[in-house]
Amino acid sequence: MERSIQFTLNRRPVQLKTDDERTLLWVLRTDLGMTGVKYGCGENHCGACTIIVDGRSVRSCMVPVKFVEGKEVMTIEGLAENGQLHPLQKAFMEHGAVQCGFCTPGMILKAYSILAENRQPSREEIIKSMDGELCRCGTYNRIIDAVQAAAGEMKGGTHHE
Amino acid sequence: MSEYGTPIQRREFMKLLGSGIYILFSTGPFLYGQQRGFQFRQYPEDFNAYLRIGEDGSVACYTGKIEMGQGIITSLAQMLAEELEVPFTSVRMIMGDTKLCPWDSGTNGSRTTKIFGPVLRAAGAEAREVLIQLAAEHLQLPENRLIAVDGEVRDKTDASRKVGYGFLAGGKSIERHLENKPPLKDADDFKVCGQSSPRTDFEEKVTGSARFAGDMRLAGMLYGKVLRPPAHGAKLIVVDTAAAQKIANVKIVQDGDFIGVVHPLPDMAEKAVGLINAEYEIPDNTVNDKTIHELLLNTEARDSEERKGDLEQGRNIAVQEFDAAYFTPYVAHAPLETHSALADVKGDSATVWVGTQRPFGADSQVAQAIGLNSDNVRIITPYVGGGFGGKSQIGQAVQAARLSKMAGSPVQVVWSREEEFFYDTFMPAAAVKINSGIDASNRIVFWDYHVFFAGNRSYECIYNVPHVRTASRGSSFGGGGPHPFGTGAWRGPGSNTNIFARESHIDVMAAKVGIDPLEFRLQNLTDERMIRVVKAAADRFGWESGKAPTGRGCGMVCLDYLGTYVVAMAKVRVDSKSGSIQVDRIVHAQDMGPVINPEGARMQIEGAVIMGLGYCLSEEVHFSGGTIMDLDFGSYKIPRFSRAPKRIETVLVENHAIDPSGCGEPPIVGMGALIANAVFDATGIRMNRLPITPERLKPRLT
Ligand code: FES
Ligand code: FES
């Protein structure tokens, strides 16, 4: 149904008029210009489209735009605040947890949601929580290192409470 | 980084060219990519094709190479900075733009560092020497008193007498070349190369601002989808677009079999194409993933062979003969970014943003498809989200250009995951037959090697064998022949098959005569450089001598991939109940000559190892005739977090005696034999067919 939908996107209110059944991924990428949200499969297999909705990770290819009505949405574009990179972003850079970079936004946001629930995840816990996130370039081990390093960095809990 | 990965509008483009200096040109900008007059295309000799120094001293480096994750956006900047004597941070890369960049054959074959590196370095070295000449004139000092450091030319004895590159270059518009080209620096003198420079693309990639072809936006653009047949070779019989037409704002275009839809929203274009009803005639072709190898072995095709010594004589002196065949499947590239392009066709010219490994080549292909002169097609390559050989093909750009021409608007095409699998040019299924023999002292005395449809890369026997035949039938590229669909280069084309076969077979012989696989190799190797790499790997791994199968699950492989030497060792665990394999540890020693960016090299090696485990353990394209069964990541299983070995240790074997060599492909091509050999050591079972799935291994474990 074509109607007006409101939600918060990267700390700013947005309002758009569109068919509320449209897939959130394409609305974010096309209508709202958030091209950091990636299409990798469109069918819940890869995690490239991962975003944060009310603090939890959501695969934006799997939900209609009406799902986020009234909620707080964060894409990779909203993770750095006031020009300050998030510890996860810094750790991904420092640990070389990036190659082509196509999986990177989804990986970082998935990790963000994991750290919100578990401040010091073990290697095994990270593998278990992230096993559905695909990286064809094979950066997995470095992502694990980066997530653990960021967790250490965030221990004080100062960033993004 | 400003123009990299961002559409450059005409005005900005002129601005960009207008802002630099052109040490060499006396008149206006010279567009190297546009120089089409040459009979053979080759790298331009004029160093200005590769670099421009702005008045502020910043350096723009132009290359037809592209960045797809391998990190050359950083290592090429290091190479130029090294020879030009400028700070690494002052170099900006402009890559894969056919209008701005010098011609290049494509980013593949691990050839960037090895083949293009010296060309770029030579340009930097010559520019540096010209700048010193210009400085000598400006400072009125003899050249031999001057030295180039950090983007300026200084008096060696009085550092206050100096002049910046920006000033020198900006003020002149003279043509100057050097008769005698300066030599390239010796690796021992490297200051910027050999350092793990931070990757310059990372910040954009962690913040989401990095642009891939599917992220490009133009005013008035539409999103396109093209009707896909259900099978390769299928013929369209009838088509009904009535239901699709009902979608608001949709436009349907047709040109023979080519039926496309365009819409202002990508999801609506996808929906519309799904509403088209079409009937196809599917050709009768019963070959499938179970029968393909039989077909390959029985298909006539072009043969080539090389011989050394006399096979008959070898057979006569052999005391033991070995016969075996090895098989590898079709493997998908499956980059996480599907093929994407944005085409803007206007009258008799076109600009196409495309994720491609071959911008030069894509231009003429697009031009041909829409009836333009290739001089009028500009290809711009943003960041590429993984290529692995598969993005040398640009079917999506041709689709986008045709749609743009027909629709009269810019059109973007982003393949669905299903289209990505369907249109992929797979690593070809292939087979190898080997007949070999050893004498009483365990020396390999003959080697009769026949590869079918993988091609001849890395098919040489690297061991010291007197009587040898190496024969290759059928090529690995282009599909056709026995292949029901397209095949093409896949990270280390041909080598993945050839090295799987050779290095498995070496272990088969070693095991049969009861010799440790490492000792057996050393007994048959004479190449000192390889022996050094073997020792480096064994040291790190702590290789324990033993007659396989020892039950420990250790395996090794050695190889020479286009001049880069690799020795890898692995430890695996096999679950005897399920037949599943877990790789615990890999030590990977690589000698690629002087290493430009050591940390970048380690990342490539680790990534290749993990990617390689896919075709070793789980990846295989299932098909029936031209129908591809695996069209998603649910059934086509690429490595996940849980597949990655806990420890991947890289040993970069220092070697300044050779020139810098390739890095990104060598570490993947040995993975098949490495794992097969380790599985044999764990279980005593020899797996001659990849991938080694639990389904294949389990029945043999009892
Ligand atoms: S694009 Fe959403 S899971 Fe792959
Ligand atoms: S970095 Fe390329 S897919 Fe992960």
Side-chain angles (χ1 to χ4, degrees):
Chain A
M1 185 181 68
E2 178 103 1
R3 66 183 179 93
S4 173
I5 298 172
Q6 297 183 13
F7 56 96
T8 307
L9 176 60
N10 298 329
R11 298 178 288 279
R12 292 214 185 108
V14 292
Q15 177 172 11
L16 81 159
K17 213 169 157 248
T18 193
D19 180 344
D20 63 1
E21 291 294 339
R22 284 181 58 211
T23 303
L24 180 58
L25 167 70
W26 297 114
V27 174
L28 287 171
R29 284 185 53 79
T30 317
D31 308 43
L32 298 169
M34 295 296 138
T35 51
V37 187
K38 298 300 183 208
Y39 167 84
C41 71
E43 49 200 1
N44 207 15
H45 285 145
C46 75
C49 63
T50 297
I51 57 167
I52 302 294
V53 179
D54 286 349
R56 290 168 178 265
S57 69
V58 166
R59 287 185 164 177
S60 63
C61 74
M62 295 311 292
V63 295
V65 58
K66 67 181 182 190
F67 171 82
V68 294
E69 177 140 44
K71 295 185 178 160
E72 282 187 24
V73 175
M74 183 175 72
T75 67
I76 191 71
E77 287 91 342
L79 185 58
E81 255 183 286
N82 309 321
Q84 269 280 54
L85 294 183
H86 186 274
L88 273 164
Q89 291 171 311
K90 284 193 215 148
F92 268 61
M93 291 175 68
E94 275 157 25
H95 288 262
V98 180
Q99 285 187 28
C100 80
F102 202 78
C103 70
T104 310
M107 291 289 183
I108 290 177
L109 292 181
K110 182 70 187 178
Y112 175 91
S113 73
I114 292 168
L115 295 185
E117 288 179 5
N118 182 349
R119 286 175 170 234
Q120 291 294 313
S122 67
R123 185 188 153 86
E124 284 64 36
E125 285 170 331
I126 294 171
I127 292 174
K128 200 160 165 236
S129 318
M130 296 192 75
D131 215 28
E133 320 297 303
L134 300 180
C135 172
R136 186 51 156 168
C137 301
T139 60
Y140 296 128
N141 286 347
R142 285 172 180 263
I143 291 177
I144 296 171
D145 293 346
V147 174
Q148 290 194 316
E153 181 75 14
M154 291 160 69
K155 233 197 211 138
T158 48
H159 203 103
H160 286 242
E161 270 308 284
Chain B
M1 290 299 303
S2 60
E3 58 267 53
Y4 185 74
T6 309
I8 300 169
Q9 302 305 329
R10 184 77 197 160
R11 243 189 65 236
E12 287 167 7
F13 164 49
M14 294 314 294
K15 211 167 67 193
L16 167 75
L17 282 174
S19 71
I21 56 86
Y22 315 103
I23 297 171
L24 233 245
F25 330 130
S26 42
T27 57
F30 191 75
L31 301 177
Y32 282 87
Q34 293 292 76
Q35 256 201 331
R36 312 270 177 183
F38 300 128
Q39 292 289 340
F40 319 75
R41 304 197 73 182
Q42 50 193 2
Y43 288 124
E45 280 176 18
D46 181 348
F47 62 80
N48 289 277
Y50 307 95
L51 63 102
R52 308 259 159 85
I53 301 170
E55 281 171 46
D56 60 354
S58 70
V59 179
C61 174
Y62 298 86
T63 171
K65 298 288 181 198
I66 60 91
E67 175 61 48
M68 56 182 163
Q70 78 284 42
I72 60 172
I73 193 169
T74 305
S75 57
L76 287 176
Q78 287 179 269
M79 285 190 253
L80 180 61
E82 181 73 65
E83 298 288 350
L84 189 58
E85 295 288 358
V86 296
F88 162 72
T89 47
S90 69
V91 181
R92 252 172 337 136
M93 298 297 298
I94 293 100
M95 306 175 80
D97 183 326
T98 58
K99 189 150 232 161
L100 301 179
C101 303
W103 169 87
D104 191 277
S105 68
T107 308
N108 47 43
S110 287
R111 294 181 310 183
T112 298
T113 300
K114 188 185 168 97
I115 311 291
F116 179 65
V119 174
L120 181 63
R121 290 171 57 197
E126 186 178 353
R128 178 194 68 223
E129 294 303 313
V130 168
L131 285 159
I132 291 176
Q133 284 187 359
L134 295 173
E137 289 156 24
H138 176 78
L139 297 170
Q140 310 232 310
L141 287 169
E143 274 176 52
N144 60 12
R145 270 197 44 191
L146 299 177
I147 181 171
V149 189
D150 272 351
E152 50 187 37
V153 182
R154 295 179 195 153
D155 181 351
K156 281 179 198 163
T157 51
D158 175 5
S160 68
R161 302 173 78 175
K162 61 182 183 182
V163 57
Y165 282 7
F167 176 83
L168 287 172
K172 305 270 181 179
S173 59
I174 48 167
E175 269 192 38
R176 189 171 305 190
H177 274 123
L178 298 182
E179 275 296 302
N180 299 317
K181 307 289 179 200
L184 302 185
K185 277 193 195 173
D186 200 272
D188 292 334
D189 301 329
F190 281 167
K191 292 175 299 200
V192 186
C193 294
Q195 304 297 318
S196 293
S197 292
R199 287 270 297 263
T200 53
D201 50 343
F202 277 6
E203 183 153 344
E204 286 173 276
K205 287 176 175 177
V206 301
T207 55
S209 61
R211 302 262 164 182
F212 299 83
D215 302 334
M216 295 300 161
R217 299 287 180 262
L218 289 177
M221 69 183 275
L222 300 173
Y223 296 85
K225 274 284 156 192
V226 173
L227 185 67
R228 171 177 86 71
H232 291 275
K235 225 179 87 202
L236 186 65
I237 309 290
V238 283
V239 62
D240 171 10
T241 60
Q245 297 278 11
K246 294 211 178 86
I247 292 200
N249 302 321
V250 80
K251 190 159 165 186
I252 300 192
V253 294
Q254 181 164 9
D255 176 10
D257 279 4
F258 181 89
I259 297 163
V261 306
V262 291
H263 192 282
L265 296 172
D267 38 329
M268 290 297 133
E270 172 102 49
K271 188 169 174 186
V273 84
L275 291 172
I276 297 177
N277 281 314
E279 268 176 49
Y280 289 86
E281 193 178 288
I282 297 177
D284 236 2
N285 183 352
T286 54
V287 68
N288 61 34
D289 43 276
K290 303 222 162 40
T291 59
I292 183 68
H293 293 104
E294 198 52 41
L295 178 66
L296 294 177
L297 290 172
N298 293 303
T299 300
E300 290 302 321
R302 263 231 342 242
D303 270 307
S304 66
E305 71 169 47
E306 293 172 56
R307 278 171 184 270
K308 183 177 105 184
D310 174 6
L311 272 185
E312 277 321 297
Q313 203 185 321
R315 286 201 169 90
N316 288 338
I317 51 178
V319 296
Q320 194 157 183
E321 283 198 30
F322 306 84
D323 252 314
Y326 302 88
F327 306 98
T328 53
Y330 293 103
V331 179
H333 296 90
L336 208 59
E337 178 210 28
T338 59
H339 279 63
S340 307
L342 169 60
D344 187 11
V345 181
K346 281 204 185 90
D348 63 359
S349 70
T351 305
V352 189
W353 289 263
V354 49
T356 179
Q357 295 177 240
R358 286 186 68 227
F360 293 92
D363 51 2
S364 46
Q365 218 179 315
V366 166
Q368 201 183 5
I370 55 173
L372 294 186
N373 184 326
S374 45
D375 287 2
N376 294 339
V377 175
R378 176 181 182 188
I379 302 289
I380 300 174
T381 315
Y383 284 123
V384 179
F388 317 114
K391 285 188 183 151
S392 294
Q393 307 295 328
I394 51 128
Q396 87 284 20
V398 168
Q399 288 184 349
R402 291 181 74 179
L403 291 172
S404 173
K405 188 178 175 185
M406 289 193 261
S409 316
V411 173
Q412 184 169 76
V413 169
V414 173
W415 276 353
S416 66
R417 180 53 58 189
E418 193 175 294
E419 289 173 297
E420 186 70 22
F421 274 110
F422 182 82
Y423 291 117
D424 195 6
T425 47
F426 302 124
M427 176 204 289
V432 176
K433 283 182 159 179
I434 310 176
N435 173 221
S436 65
I438 55 174
D439 68 11
S441 55
N442 298 322
R443 294 195 190 280
I444 310 170
V445 286
F446 80 92
W447 180 260
D448 192 6
Y449 185 96
H450 298 257
V451 52
F452 300 81
F453 292 91
N456 60 8
R457 195 177 290 178
S458 308
Y459 82 155
E460 309 82 15
C461 181
I462 61 169
Y463 299 92
N464 182 32
V465 182
H467 308 290
V468 180
R469 168 164 65 181
T470 21
S472 166
R473 184 196 288 177
S475 102
S476 73
F477 298 127
H483 304 299
F485 31 69
T487 63
W490 193 103
R491 200 172 188 174
S495 304
N496 287 290
T497 297
N498 283 317
I499 294 169
F500 168 58
R502 184 191 71 222
E503 290 295 302
S504 293
H505 201 74
I506 294 294
D507 267 41
V508 166
M509 295 193 286
K512 190 74 190 292
V513 295
I515 300 180
D516 174 65
L518 185 143
E519 271 163 46
F520 185 75
R521 282 181 173 78
L522 288 178
Q523 280 181 26
N524 285 282
L525 275 171
T526 45
D527 182 343
E528 287 302 327
R529 190 180 151 214
M530 184 65 82
I531 291 169
R532 198 166 148 243
V533 185
V534 170
K535 291 186 170 152
D539 271 0
R540 171 64 74 91
F541 190 80
W543 182 270
E544 287 176 50
S545 181
K547 157 179 168 336
T550 64
R552 293 194 289 252
C554 295
M556 71 171 290
V557 62
C558 23
L559 64 100
D560 163 6
Y561 183 85
L562 303 178
T564 291
Y565 282 19
V566 168
V567 176
M569 295 181 170
K571 178 156 172 45
V572 307
R573 258 178 306 136
V574 177
D575 182 312
S576 57
K577 282 206 195 75
S578 66
S580 74
I581 296 162
Q582 181 63 43
V583 182
D584 286 332
R585 183 179 177 219
I586 288 185
V587 166
H588 184 101
Q590 185 157 312
D591 170 2
M592 53 192 136
V595 180
I596 306 301
N597 187 327
E599 194 58 14
R602 290 183 201 282
M603 287 162 56
Q604 279 296 289
I605 292 170
E606 290 167 30
V609 162
I610 291 173
M611 183 182 187
L613 287 177
Y615 79 78
C616 295
L617 299 174
S618 59
E619 289 182 40
E620 162 171 35
V621 176
H622 297 92
F623 65 97
S624 169
T627 308
I628 310 294
M629 312 292 199
D630 296 319
L631 294 171
D632 61 53
F633 286 130
S635 71
Y636 188 87
K637 295 191 165 58
I638 68 170
R640 296 171 176 274
F641 272 91
S642 52
R643 177 70 88 202
K646 199 164 176 179
R647 289 163 72 190
I648 304 174
E649 295 158 56
T650 50
V651 182
L652 306 180
V653 180
E654 204 174 275
N655 182 356
H656 284 188
I658 59 166
D659 291 327
S661 207
C663 174
E665 295 180 339
I668 201 169
V669 294
M671 291 303 295
L674 177 64
I675 300 306
N677 290 342
V679 167
F680 178 82
D681 189 54
T683 63
I685 295 164
R686 174 55 52 185
M687 299 301 284
N688 289 23
R689 184 181 292 269
L690 295 179
I692 309 173
T693 59
E695 294 73 36
R696 288 201 174 114
L697 184 55
K698 194 182 158 191
R700 297 189 51 194
L701 280 171
T702 39

